[in-house]
Amino acid sequence: MANVQTIISAEQRAAAEEQIVEQSKRIDFYITEYSVEMLANKMRAQEYVVPAYQREFTWEDERRSKFLESLIMGLPIPFIFFWEMPDGRLEIVDGSQRLRTIEEFLLGDFRLGGLEQLDKLSGFRFVDLPESRQRKVRNRSIRGIVLNEHADDAARLDMFERINTGSKIANKAEIRRGALAGPFLTLVIDLAKDERLKRLAPMSEKSKQERGYEELVTRFFAYGDGLEGYKDRPADFIFNHAKRMNGRFESNPALADDYRQRFHRTMEFIERVFPHGFRKGATGRATPRARFEAIAIGSYLAMKDKPELAERSWADLDVNYWIDGPDFTAVTGSDGANARARLEGRMEFVRKRLVES
């Protein structure tokens, strides 16, 4: 069967270029160079800030020793990325492990472990090196890229994730937890422990450890509040929503109770009406995110439109005739799942079926 060649129209090219320009505006930076000695001293003086979402991710001694071996040998060190904070200090977007290791070696008491190339240095501290070698290490330079203060929060966190793709790093839920600490995130973290949610939405241990339940709760609120400003980038949209809601909760603490009741009322409804919760079947052990969004937010929107649904029984609403059907399977498929039209389509599908029932 011959391949069908996709033809890109002039309008599509123009739209793509417009998107590139718009996203590029979020990144404004300059390149600089620092000596190893300056980096260590600035870390000690706390002029470089390690954001909360990176603090618990630390290298083991073997990896730190290997990095220091490269530094001593004069091998090139990757760029360090910073964000210029309003107070003039630099937040470390990427490179906190390297900088912490440099500080601990030059100004602390870190001892090199077993090295491969420089095995005769195993067990050395920095002060044990010959003075001439100490000077050479101090004078080595590492280049840095500094995002200026006009780069928004979502841009620098997006850069952190992109740079670290494939590494053991914080995921989006962990990044939000550290970068957006506040009353809204406190509520999200609390609701993520809800036993009913865990029964309705099973997930693997790995997903649990990666704060999968926090991700589901945050999406439930963010999408349930409306998709104004959504541009097919869930991470940015959810981050901005969480940041905005922290401010609203601080101004009006009673909102926390409203949102908590919204969550529990919806989960109670789903447990009563949907025989398998968010699973595909009775024995399902995973919760597809698109399926969760469709059922959870569609149910909330249906009860918002028709409050009496909250009291209806499983027999009255009987979702079985459509929940396993091809139409629902199609709207919750993974193809283009984050496109706004697809997201609205699956939530509206459930809302409409419940309201019309």
Side-chain angles (χ1 to χ4, degrees), residues 67 146 164 207 226 247 261 263-264 267 337:
F67 166 72
V146 182
N164 286 281
S207 295
Q261 289 175 16
F263 173 83
H264 287 306
M267 294 304 124

Side-chain angles (χ1 to χ4, degrees), residues 83-201:
W83 174 65
E84 187 175 54
M85 301 170 68
D87 65 4
R89 292 182 300 163
L90 298 182
E91 179 184 286
I92 306 165
V93 176
D94 181 69
S96 68
Q97 302 299 334
R98 281 167 276 161
L99 292 177
R100 281 186 272 188
T101 299
I102 287 170
E103 179 197 356
E104 290 170 11
F105 187 51
L106 266 68
L107 304 178
D109 203 38
F110 182 78
R111 289 184 181 273
L112 296 169
L115 303 179
E116 295 180 6
Q117 304 296 324
L118 302 177
D119 58 299
K120 291 182 170 56
L121 289 183
S122 299
F124 272 53
R125 297 170 301 167
F126 182 72
V127 294
D128 297 324
L129 295 173
E131 286 190 16
S132 59
R133 180 55 55 188
Q134 290 183 37
R135 292 191 192 97
K136 291 176 182 178
V137 172
R138 288 194 192 99
N139 290 333
R140 294 206 187 286
S141 62
I142 296 178
R143 302 190 83 183
I145 291 180
V146 182
L147 295 170
N148 73 23
E149 60 183 313
H150 300 298
D152 61 26
D153 294 342
R156 74 181 194 275
L157 295 174
D158 181 50
M159 177 175 285
F160 171 74
E161 185 183 33
R162 288 173 184 274
I163 292 167
N164 286 281
T165 298
S167 302
K168 182 182 177 182
I169 61 161
N171 57 49
K172 292 180 178 66
E174 289 166 327
I175 289 174
R176 286 196 297 270
R177 179 188 258 244
L180 295 175
F184 176 72
L185 262 295
T186 297
L187 175 65
V188 167
I189 293 167
D190 183 41
L191 294 178
K193 301 171 186 175
D194 183 70
E195 291 302 322
R196 181 186 282 110
L197 174 63
K198 293 177 181 178
R199 291 196 302 272
L200 294 171

Side-chain angles (χ1 to χ4, degrees), residues 7 28 41 46 56 108 119 127 162 175 190 198 215 218-219 232-233 235 256 281 296 313:
I7 299 176
D28 193 0
N41 288 332
Q46 297 184 346
E56 62 183 277
D119 58 299
V127 294
R162 288 173 184 274
I175 289 174
D190 183 41
K198 293 177 181 178
E215 182 69 21
T218 311
R219 285 178 179 239
D232 300 348
R233 291 178 55 84
S313 69

Side-chain angles (χ1 to χ4, degrees), residues 237-339:
F237 180 79
I238 295 169
F239 182 92
N240 290 328
H241 176 270
K243 183 177 181 180
R244 184 169 61 253
M245 292 309 299
N246 269 338
R248 289 189 62 196
F249 276 34
E250 287 170 358
S251 301
N252 183 8
L255 270 180
D257 289 335
D258 293 343
Y259 274 68
R260 186 183 298 274
Q261 289 175 16
R262 178 202 297 189
F263 173 83
H264 287 306
R265 186 168 58 249
T266 304
M267 294 304 124
E268 288 168 4
F269 175 81
I270 290 165
E271 185 173 47
R272 187 174 70 253
V273 172
F274 290 83
H276 307 311
F278 300 109
R279 296 168 294 179
K280 287 185 175 180
T283 60
R285 297 183 179 180
T287 302
R289 193 167 285 169
R291 191 179 180 90
F292 171 86
E293 292 163 355
I295 295 173
I297 303 156
S299 295
Y300 161 68
L301 295 175
M303 287 190 288
K304 185 178 178 183
D305 289 348
K306 198 174 182 180
E308 60 268 29
L309 283 174
E311 306 303 324
R312 300 284 290 277
S313 69
W314 171 83
D316 288 338
L317 297 174
D318 189 15
V319 302
N320 283 332
Y321 81 92
W322 56 264
I323 193 68
D324 295 319
D327 292 340
F328 185 65
T329 299
V331 298
T332 55
S334 59
D335 185 29
N338 291 322

Side-chain angles (χ1 to χ4, degrees), residues 63-78:
R63 190 168 180 183
R64 289 193 288 178
S65 293
K66 188 168 185 178
F67 166 72
L68 291 168
E69 181 182 43
S70 299
L71 182 67
I72 294 168
M73 291 172 64
L75 294 174
I77 303 299

